[in-house]
Amino acid sequence: MNHLIAPSILAADFANLQRDIELINKSDADWIHVDIMDGMFVPNISFGFPVVTAVKKHAEKPLDVHLMIVDPDRYLKNFKEAGAAGMTVHYEACPNLHRTVQYIKELGCRAGVALNPHTPVALLEDIIADLDMVLIMSVNPGFGGQKFIENTYKKLKDIKELSNRKNPGLYIEVDGGVDSTNAAKLVEAGANVLVAGNSVFSAPDPSVAITNLKKSGALSVS
Ligand code: DX5
Ligand code: ZN
């Protein structure tokens, strides 16, 4: 499959969110990445259900909701109702991860698990077959515009190898510091969904930036 692009609206202009969603609608983007932060799991607060509901009203592409929150089970139903197509929870925030993943699926959503930079891919060995997506954090979660962590390439190769063995249809998403300089190499290492915030919304033309990410390394993907 060709890789997907999921612009992160964390870097959008919140006072002009409808405009930025419409920009994504018209672009080559595949999903809209929605970052939820609770000030507990990560040292930042982003936005909650009313904003997701408002985004959904204008979005013509699936909402890829990334939950950087403790005990996400409490709110999965609310995010589904707000319009999530996929929900990704953090490995580090879910003591009963298998139950959480089953719950996301019961709600009819694509189920993803995110790994912080320090969390090894091998910990997913016994759950990988149940997942629709793994999100590899390439920065520490909590903020946009951070520097990309180079060890991500190794982790992508590890998850790609695990996916080949146990779940070949897995979405492998990479999130944090993704731009046109590393996109092709990330796809080559195994990523098939690229999240990009700052590199899209700080670009002179965000739509062109999305197209460039979409074209990056496109021929090297199987
Ligand atoms: C970080 C978020 C990311 C963030 C990416 O905690 O999960 O989705 O929006 O932003 P950039 O692409 O600017 O690093
Ligand atoms: Zn994210």
Side-chain angles (χ1 to χ4, degrees):
M1 105 181 170
N2 205 341
H3 64 277
L4 308 183
I5 306 298
S8 168
I9 56 165
L10 189 66
D13 178 351
F14 288 172
N16 287 286
L17 208 41
Q18 180 177 348
R19 181 200 65 192
D20 285 356
I21 297 298
E22 282 165 2
L23 184 151
I24 297 175
N25 286 342
K26 291 197 200 87
S27 76
D28 288 329
D30 299 279
W31 297 345
I32 299 176
H33 188 79
V34 179
D35 286 307
I36 307 296
M37 304 176 180
D38 66 352
M40 293 292 288
F41 180 67
V42 290
N44 195 10
I45 296 176
S46 58
F47 46 78
F49 315 120
V51 175
V52 180
T53 304
V55 166
K56 174 68 183 167
K57 205 167 117 195
H58 300 287
E60 290 167 9
K61 307 202 174 182
L63 301 189
D64 173 41
V65 177
H66 178 191
L67 298 170
M68 287 161 275
I69 64 177
V70 295
D71 196 3
D73 298 39
R74 294 172 296 161
Y75 297 119
L76 295 174
K77 193 158 178 284
N78 303 69
F79 282 112
K80 162 68 184 173
E81 284 165 3
M87 291 193 272
T88 299
V89 295
H90 268 261
Y91 178 89
E92 303 83 5
C94 297
N96 301 295
L97 185 60
H98 185 269
R99 180 186 292 148
T100 304
V101 165
Q102 297 311 321
Y103 185 23
I104 294 173
K105 289 179 157 181
E106 276 164 28
L107 290 169
C109 288
R110 178 175 41 70
V113 170
L115 297 183
N116 273 347
H118 71 279
T119 306
V121 163
L123 291 170
L124 297 179
E125 176 89 31
D126 290 331
I127 188 115
I128 191 97
D130 295 299
L131 303 182
D132 299 306
M133 184 166 89
V134 169
L135 185 165
I136 302 292
M137 286 303 308
S138 39
V139 297
N140 287 295
F143 303 92
Q146 300 182 85
K147 191 175 177 298
F148 177 84
I149 296 172
E150 294 291 322
N151 189 51
T152 303
Y153 297 114
K154 182 229 168 230
K155 290 183 77 170
L156 287 171
K157 284 177 190 150
D158 288 350
I159 190 69
K160 181 70 181 161
E161 190 270 328
L162 189 55
S163 151
N164 285 344
R165 265 199 295 126
K166 294 197 155 184
N167 184 349
L170 187 74
Y171 286 115
I172 301 175
E173 184 172 61
V174 61
D175 184 7
V178 175
D179 61 24
S180 59
T181 67
N182 55 23
K185 209 173 153 196
L186 291 168
V187 170
E188 201 181 319
N192 52 30
V193 187
L194 304 180
V195 175
N198 260 52
S199 70
V200 165
F201 288 101
S202 302
D205 186 337
S207 184
V208 170
I210 292 168
T211 301
N212 287 340
L213 289 172
K214 186 78 185 170
K215 285 185 185 155
S216 298
L219 296 176
S220 62
V221 192
S222 56

